[in-house]
Amino acid sequence: MIEIKDVRKSFSTLEVLKGINLTVSKGEVVTIIGGSGSGKSTLLTCINGLEPINAGQITIDGTVVHAKDTDLNKLRRKVGIVFQQWNAFPHLTVLENVMLAPRKVLGLAKEKAEEIAVKQLTHVGLAEKLNVYPNRMSGGQQQRMAIARALAMSPEYMLFDEVTSALDPMLVGEVLDTLKMLAEEGMTMICVTHEMAFARDVSDRVAFFHHGVMAEIGTPDQLFGAPQHPDTQAFLASAR
Amino acid sequence: MLNYTFHWNQAFKALPQMLDGAVVTLQIALLSMVLGVALALTLTAFRLSGSRILRGFAATWVEIARNTPALFQIYMAHFGLGNFGIHLSPFTALLIGIAFNNAGYLAENFRGALKAIPDTQARAGRSLGMTPIQAFRLIVLPQMLRVAFLPATNQMVWAILMTSLGVTVGMNTDLAGITQELNARSFRTFEFFALAAVIYYIIAKLVTLAARLLAARMFKY
């Protein structure tokens, strides 16, 4: 379970998160929608401790993320994250990209890491690309590789930060299908996205962020069907 | 006007001796590169450190190495240090002078290479549970080496050519030193130096070629 309690976060004088409260249970899929600069991506990088927070608390299965004695490297093994820019490691083949962390972080033997990597890459439809370098692949393929790379660590939670925003429109579908598949398999996920149809389809709950505040949260039917907050209504009207 | 008669035979007879000198030249250049890379990595680390003193030290080194004549740097290692009672052999002084120069240029090269790797690469590594050192060693460093590699081969060629400055501090076993001694005995300046120049040229070309082959093997992406 991920518990976010009254989290505040500023970049110098700009407060981007103004007291966020959110609890995500095991197996739940929560998507976060909202305009640019609403703080939704920042929240994700705070959850896995890549960014410090100014106030409040985030706990993952009882571990306080920003406590001084928390081993973030260990915590991150169970919280995978995939970014808008997939950040493929260009000097490694697709297979090596996915094997690297299981070998070096989890300390698995080469054969075992390779087995896991092949399995995950097959899962995201890249079984044909094992020995290719990332720059020989499309953005959608690289993004799916990045998802496999995160999954190879056997995370319990996955964070997706606008993973289709940097893709050509034609390639968005293949990545969303991959996310949908994960959701159906029961992965606990928090997805920041601009894809409204996707949010409506896969989410257990959808949250709307506006200027650093979670203005509204509810089931897809509630939020898309009968939004309560005027800002949600305005956002959804413009998004359609 | 052109009443000089070429005597190439004398030069060609001395070829084995000159090639022995070329081996010494290559040794000094290689050693100076090994030292230079080690020093440049240290300087790069200093420049990224939190200490103002270390940063200043590294910046001063780079500034002097890149903006003063290599000849002075070698002179300082031999005669300059000699004034303080530190007497280095011509070989050591030449090696130190060139290594000093290499370190300055290579440190700048490494800094540029480091800047060319986006921060998001290390961040992606960290998000997979890597420590900062793992992320640097496994993700940033290999990419950085690729960017820095070809400029570093230029420095290697430059180091080979700089060894010829050793004659000014009494170096007499490298290609330039041997050529100079042969010249002093025979006064066949043109022949000996032309032959030496061809040898320098061939070494430089071979080193560049070897580096390109190595790069093609090492960096496959």
Side-chain angles (χ1 to χ4, degrees):
Chain A
M1 190 163 71
I2 299 178
E3 291 172 277
I4 299 162
K5 277 189 200 141
D6 201 29
V7 165
R8 288 172 181 275
K9 162 78 185 168
S10 304
F11 291 110
S12 63
T13 57
L14 181 72
E15 192 171 42
V16 288
L17 296 176
K18 300 169 182 167
I20 301 292
N21 289 286
L22 176 67
T23 302
V24 179
S25 313
K26 264 283 166 74
E28 204 180 6
V29 177
V30 175
T31 54
I32 303 176
I33 59 171
S36 300
S38 59
K40 41 194 203 315
S41 294
T42 305
L43 183 66
L44 289 194
T45 48
C46 289
I47 292 175
N48 80 346
L50 279 174
E51 288 286 350
I53 57 177
N54 298 90
Q57 196 179 62
I58 301 174
T59 53
I60 298 175
D61 297 337
T63 307
V64 180
V65 175
H66 295 89
K68 269 204 187 98
D69 56 352
T70 297
D71 184 349
L72 280 175
N73 301 325
K74 209 169 166 186
L75 186 76
R76 287 186 188 128
R77 293 176 201 174
K78 68 174 183 187
V79 188
I81 188 166
V82 181
F83 301 98
Q84 181 176 351
Q85 289 295 341
W86 34 90
N87 303 323
F89 304 139
H91 60 299
L92 301 175
T93 63
V94 168
L95 184 62
E96 290 165 342
N97 258 272
V98 181
M99 283 172 64
L100 186 66
R103 284 196 70 192
K104 303 293 177 175
V105 177
L106 301 179
L108 299 181
K110 196 179 168 209
E111 296 73 28
K112 183 70 189 157
E114 188 170 332
E115 187 192 318
I116 292 172
V118 170
K119 189 180 127 210
Q120 292 300 348
L121 285 165
T122 308
H123 202 45
V124 299
L126 291 176
E128 315 282 294
K129 300 283 182 184
L130 300 182
N131 297 312
V132 170
Y133 283 93
N135 62 9
R136 296 291 162 98
M137 299 200 302
S138 73
Q141 289 170 328
Q142 293 194 47
Q143 190 59 292
R144 283 187 280 144
M145 183 203 78
I147 295 171
R149 192 170 69 182
L151 291 175
M153 297 296 284
S154 325
E156 296 172 36
Y157 304 94
M158 282 295 297
L159 312 173
F160 294 99
D161 183 11
E162 295 191 33
V163 290
T164 59
S165 296
L167 293 175
D168 288 343
M170 310 166 53
L171 303 174
V172 169
E174 61 186 71
V175 173
L176 290 183
D177 287 344
T178 306
L179 297 192
K180 217 175 276 182
M181 177 179 77
L182 288 178
E184 280 160 12
E185 288 166 6
M187 175 62 79
T188 312
M189 296 164 47
I190 304 180
C191 311
V192 167
T193 186
H194 289 297
E195 300 290 332
M196 298 303 150
F198 167 78
R200 180 170 230 165
D201 242 31
V202 304
S203 313
D204 295 307
R205 284 186 296 158
V206 182
F208 171 67
F209 273 43
H210 188 65
H211 294 316
V213 174
M214 191 166 76
E216 191 167 350
I217 184 163
T219 64
D221 284 348
Q222 286 169 345
L223 198 114
F224 290 109
Q228 301 299 306
H229 199 286
D231 289 328
T232 320
Q233 292 163 358
F235 178 77
L236 290 175
S238 66
R240 273 173 201 146
Chain B
M1 189 178 118
L2 269 179
N3 56 359
Y4 184 78
T5 322
F6 288 109
H7 285 80
W8 289 104
N9 260 348
Q10 278 194 37
F12 284 123
K13 255 187 240 159
L15 191 60
Q17 231 179 316
M18 290 171 82
L19 288 178
D20 286 346
V23 172
V24 177
T25 290
L26 205 55
Q27 278 171 351
I28 299 172
L30 274 173
L31 272 174
S32 79
M33 278 303 279
V34 172
L35 279 174
V37 168
L39 288 168
L41 285 173
T42 314
L43 289 177
T44 308
F46 281 7
R47 283 175 132 189
L48 298 172
S49 80
S51 156
R52 191 176 282 192
I53 296 167
L54 291 183
R55 283 205 309 268
F57 174 81
T60 310
W61 183 317
V62 172
E63 284 299 305
I64 295 174
R66 299 177 72 224
N67 298 296
T68 62
L71 177 66
F72 291 10
Q73 294 163 19
I74 293 160
Y75 247 60
M76 277 297 187
H78 192 64
F79 301 113
L81 291 180
N83 284 356
F84 297 98
I86 304 166
H87 297 288
L88 302 177
S89 69
F91 183 94
T92 313
L94 181 60
L95 179 60
I96 287 178
I98 299 174
F100 175 85
N101 186 282
N102 285 345
Y105 278 93
L106 290 170
E108 200 63 6
N109 175 17
F110 290 164
R111 186 169 75 149
L114 199 57
K115 270 196 178 162
I117 314 304
D119 295 343
T120 48
Q121 284 285 312
R123 201 175 165 89
R126 297 300 308 281
S127 73
L128 289 167
M130 290 180 199
T131 63
I133 292 171
Q134 281 180 319
F136 180 78
R137 190 168 54 83
L138 300 169
I139 298 167
V140 179
L141 188 65
Q143 296 182 55
M144 190 184 139
L145 285 181
R146 183 197 197 212
V147 179
F149 190 79
L150 284 180
T153 41
N154 287 340
Q155 187 64 29
M156 173 68 191
V157 170
W158 182 227
I160 291 167
L161 302 184
M162 270 194 290
T163 57
S164 65
L165 296 171
V167 290
T168 63
V169 294
M171 184 74 195
N172 58 7
T173 52
D174 70 324
L175 178 53
I178 285 176
T179 309
Q180 171 60 18
E181 295 220 328
L182 292 166
N183 168 53
R185 266 184 273 149
S186 67
F187 295 107
R188 289 286 154 198
T189 309
F190 187 91
E191 290 89 333
F192 279 115
F193 279 90
L195 186 58
V198 169
I199 297 174
Y200 276 114
Y201 182 89
I202 292 171
I203 298 174
K205 281 290 162 190
L206 286 178
V207 165
T208 310
L209 181 70
R212 278 183 198 285
L213 291 175
L214 194 62
R217 269 193 72 92
M218 279 186 342
F219 312 115
K220 291 190 182 135
Y221 60 101

